Amino acid sequence: MLRIHVSGVDLSRVRMATRPDAMWETILSFHRLRDRRGSTVFGKWRQESRARLNGETRLLSAVVPPRGYFPDFLTPSGGGAEPLGLDAGMEVLRDTPADRIREELGLLTGSAPFARRPSGGHPPDALPEELAEGRTEPLGRLISSLRAYHRAAVEPYWPHIRASVEADRAVRGRALLDGGTDELLATLPPMIRWRAPVLEADYPVDRELRLDGRGLLLQPSYFCRGTPVVCRDPGLPPVLVYPVTHPGAPAVAEPGPWLGRLVGHTRSAVLRAIGNGCTTSELARRTGVSLASASQHACVLREAGLVRTLRHGSSVLHTLTPLGAALIRGGAPLAVP
């Protein structure tokens, strides 16, 4: 079990990440790629991603085990609610001090001496040894592999990842407005339980984390599964990465014939009324239609990939997907991490 001790000062400094974290999604997706579970959500994504990969997984496997601990330096933090983004994260990773790399890789290998390798060539399983020696070239190879893996397995799905995280943020934001930080923490996924002043979570090992007035960043993640994740080093900025709720749709919603149903002023008004998020009752009031009609319009928009719906207490909360927001903006391009 993970127990996060939250003081009154920490409670006032709990904040939500503004968007998905590209570095966390990249590393956690690599876990999902080698995990056979969650086929409903990740099955199609695994199949498509594996077809695009070209040797990157062999190198990454040397520093990211299929499960359990992986080095903290692979998921650098900017210290605030705004994730670094892929390019900035890679630059921070490139500047990681050699002694930190050596220490964290020692944890990965159980502090056992690295096996010596014959000179010539760079087999993937020699990468931890080379990194621990403080050499620049193997770190560059690792960064290149991470970039290539991200392009193949994460970047094509970023709009869907972002929509999932933004939907979760909308639910948490509504809870924060309704009942403050206590309500926000109480509505986190069921594997996380707020028992003031301790935030408990299912975790593979027993762990105590004291925030000591630093607050806590809540980072929803598309590829996190089962249990939340925290950095092993308690001295790093505290962040709790937790899984978003997956309604059961595959990682990519293919465009379908539903887009043709969008013709008409009423449905356009419904799409605009959803804005930054609203319940079905609020949607009906905003557009002047019946509750049943609002629900039906939201359903069609959801099938078209323009709206995402999550349950919030006894009601449901509708939010725009990046595609829906882009449609309102007149087709403005979507940003990538």
Side-chain angles (χ1 to χ4, degrees), residues 4 10 13 15 21 24 72-73 75-82 84 92 100 104 207 209-219 229-241:
I4 302 176
D10 293 315
R13 295 177 179 174
R15 57 207 186 281
D21 188 301
W24 276 106
D72 289 334
F73 67 77
T75 52
S77 169
E82 181 75 15
L84 288 174
V92 174
R100 180 183 172 188
E104 293 185 6
R207 175 85 187 276
L209 177 59
R210 300 186 182 278
L211 301 181
D212 297 327
R214 295 173 295 170
L216 180 66
L217 175 64
L218 301 174
Q219 177 66 65
V229 185
V230 295
C231 293
R232 189 186 188 282
D233 184 353
L236 293 174
V239 56
L240 180 68
V241 181

Side-chain angles (χ1 to χ4, degrees), residues 6-318:
V6 185
S7 69
V9 174
D10 293 315
L11 199 61
S12 68
R13 295 177 179 174
V14 172
R15 57 207 186 281
M16 287 290 305
T18 58
R19 56 191 172 93
D21 188 301
M23 299 298 286
W24 276 106
E25 296 296 348
T26 299
I27 299 300
L28 292 174
S29 72
F30 191 46
H31 281 289
R32 302 288 78 76
L33 188 75
R34 296 169 290 174
D35 185 357
R36 297 181 179 179
R37 296 171 296 177
S39 59
T40 301
V41 176
F42 301 114
K44 183 180 179 182
W45 166 80
R46 288 191 189 105
Q47 180 181 9
E48 294 176 348
S49 297
R50 286 168 179 163
R52 283 190 292 265
L53 291 168
N54 186 26
E56 295 86 358
T57 59
R58 294 183 64 242
L59 190 60
L60 296 182
S61 295
V63 293
V64 183
R67 60 184 61 86
Y69 170 78
F70 56 84
D72 289 334
F73 67 77
L74 294 174
T75 52
S77 169
E82 181 75 15
L84 288 174
L86 184 67
D87 291 337
M90 292 296 183
E91 288 306 310
V92 174
L93 175 56
R94 191 183 302 275
D95 294 336
T96 306
D99 57 348
R100 180 183 172 188
I101 293 177
R102 186 178 305 110
E103 178 181 355
E104 293 185 6
L105 288 176
L107 295 172
L108 181 66
T109 60
S111 299
F114 293 109
R116 303 306 301 177
R117 303 289 173 184
S119 59
H122 299 280
D125 55 359
L127 182 63
E129 174 193 353
E130 296 169 344
L131 286 171
E133 291 173 351
R135 293 156 57 180
T136 303
E137 186 268 341
L139 183 57
R141 286 193 288 124
L142 175 61
I143 291 173
S144 295
S145 290
L146 280 170
R147 283 188 178 277
Y149 173 80
H150 179 91
R151 284 195 299 269
V154 178
E155 185 176 292
Y157 309 93
W158 194 253
H160 188 84
I161 294 167
R162 191 174 69 180
S164 298
V165 169
E166 288 179 352
D168 184 274
R169 274 175 46 84
V171 171
R172 309 306 162 206
R174 181 60 64 95
L176 181 64
L177 290 173
D178 289 347
T181 309
D182 275 295
E183 181 70 14
L184 166 63
L185 296 178
T187 58
L188 289 173
M191 79 287 295
I192 305 171
R193 300 164 294 278
W194 174 231
R195 295 171 178 167
V198 177
L199 189 63
E200 296 181 350
D202 297 339
Y203 209 65
V205 297
D206 287 333
R207 175 85 187 276
E208 304 281 336
L209 177 59
R210 300 186 182 278
L211 301 181
D212 297 327
R214 295 173 295 170
L216 180 66
L217 175 64
L218 301 174
Q219 177 66 65
S221 167
Y222 185 86
F223 285 108
C224 184
R225 183 186 184 277
T227 62
V229 185
V230 295
C231 293
R232 189 186 188 282
D233 184 353
L236 293 174
V239 56
L240 180 68
V241 181
Y242 66 88
V244 300
T245 300
H246 293 287
V252 178
E254 298 292 343
W258 307 286
L259 291 174
R261 303 180 190 173
L262 291 175
V263 178
H265 296 293
T266 302
R267 194 152 293 149
S268 297
V270 168
L271 188 62
R272 293 178 182 276
I274 289 174
N276 293 324
C278 65
T279 66
T280 305
S281 298
E282 290 168 340
L283 181 60
R285 288 196 299 270
R286 292 178 185 180
T287 55
V289 300
S290 68
L291 189 64
S293 180
S295 178
Q296 180 183 16
H297 285 304
C299 179
V300 172
L301 293 171
R302 183 170 60 252
E303 290 175 340
L306 303 175
V307 167
R308 183 175 175 85
T309 301
L310 288 178
R311 180 158 296 281
H312 175 61
S314 59
S315 60
V316 294
L317 185 66
H318 308 291

